[in-house]
Amino acid sequence: MTASRLRDALAAKERIFGGWVVGPTIIGPEEFAAAGYDYVGFDVQHGYLDDADVALLLRRLEHVPVATAVRLPTPDAAPIGRVLDAGADAVIIAMIESPEQAAEAVAATRYAPAGVRSFGPLRASLGVDPAAHEARTSVFAMIETARGLAALDEICAVEGLSGVYVGPADLAISLGHAPLDALATPVVVDAVARIQAAASEAGLVPAIHANAGKPGKAMAEMGFRMITLASESQALRRGAAEHLKEAQ
């Protein structure tokens, strides 16, 4: 049975850092791993990926030492089950605004009678033990709206939830502020700090999409334990700009 690399990383380190993949790429996830990132997130909400693309990418990473998570737009059980059957360590469910939605996300990762997940592992190394499949799976509820913030404590109390993942851009928009300045806007930062504190108090992993190294460091200092730093396109753009600057 394949262990959860994400759970192992969180058990071994005070905080972990991740890269983000938004489009089909052969080398992107492996380069994040080679650079020392702890996990790679695959974006099925905003990215140019579907769950079939993710399944192929996860297969390529089976023997690469990096954890994996997949962001999905809804708590619909079918796509959640497919990416877990393909070997994802975690799912991150976007736009959670109520404890009922969070509970629906958790149920999608659990077999009967605790949930509604259908049995069908796609990777032989996952084994055939439903209890082991559940044990290796982490589920994160994204809090990224004013409604989600208002239901914060109730969401954090949902049994089976592994963590809370903050989406600062949408949270900023929902609170009436510019998305690109989210982590430099006091009202948004205060809300982010509230989420971190509530998640930690509930024994959950506080996670966040920091979008760059400097805000990632600030979020680590705030107490977040799982911090996404950059997408493969951002990393490529920054590296390409540095090479061009050196050459000119």
Side-chain angles (χ1 to χ4, degrees):
M1 173 64 197
T2 302
S4 170
R5 291 172 176 166
L6 187 68
R7 289 183 183 275
D8 290 347
L10 285 164
K13 299 181 178 181
E14 183 178 355
R15 62 185 61 88
I16 61 175
F17 296 99
W20 204 246
V21 171
V22 299
T25 172
I26 299 299
I27 64 172
E30 295 181 22
E31 290 300 323
F32 278 127
Y37 283 63
D38 299 290
Y39 68 93
V40 177
F42 296 99
D43 199 338
V44 181
Q45 181 194 18
H46 289 300
Y48 296 100
L49 294 169
D50 59 26
D51 51 15
D53 297 319
V54 169
L56 292 173
L57 291 167
L58 290 172
R59 175 71 68 166
R60 285 186 58 88
L61 294 178
E62 185 170 7
H63 302 293
V64 177
V66 68
T68 55
V70 181
R71 177 163 69 175
L72 295 153
T74 72
D76 182 20
I80 290 174
R82 285 195 292 270
V83 298
L84 294 178
D85 287 341
D89 293 307
V91 289
I92 301 167
I93 310 304
M95 294 288 186
I96 296 296
E97 295 186 323
S98 71
E100 291 79 14
Q101 289 177 330
E104 186 180 354
V106 172
T109 71
R110 303 290 189 267
Y111 300 104
V116 297
R117 181 178 175 183
S118 179
F119 184 78
L122 296 174
R123 185 186 294 179
S125 60
L126 293 174
V128 294
D129 180 5
H133 292 174
E134 291 182 354
R136 72 176 300 277
T137 298
S138 297
V139 54
F140 289 79
M142 283 197 77
I143 295 184
E144 48 188 339
T145 66
R147 287 184 179 179
L149 188 63
L152 175 61
D153 291 335
E154 292 87 350
I155 291 171
C156 288
V158 170
E159 185 176 356
L161 201 63
S162 307
V164 171
Y165 190 102
V166 182
D170 278 314
L171 183 60
I173 292 171
S174 185
L175 295 175
H177 298 277
L180 296 184
D181 299 326
L183 293 179
T185 302
V187 171
V188 181
V189 173
D190 287 347
V192 167
R194 281 179 55 198
I195 297 169
Q196 187 281 328
S200 297
E201 179 68 22
L204 303 178
V205 176
I208 191 166
H209 206 92
N211 217 39
K214 288 183 179 179
K217 183 177 182 179
M219 294 302 99
E221 292 172 348
M222 187 182 285
F224 281 91
R225 297 197 58 222
M226 180 174 165
I227 303 157
T228 301
L229 299 180
S231 69
E232 83 280 33
S233 59
Q234 290 173 300
L236 174 61
R237 188 182 309 117
R238 181 171 179 174
E242 287 299 313
H243 284 299
L244 183 59
K245 182 179 179 181
E246 291 172 0
Q248 290 176 331

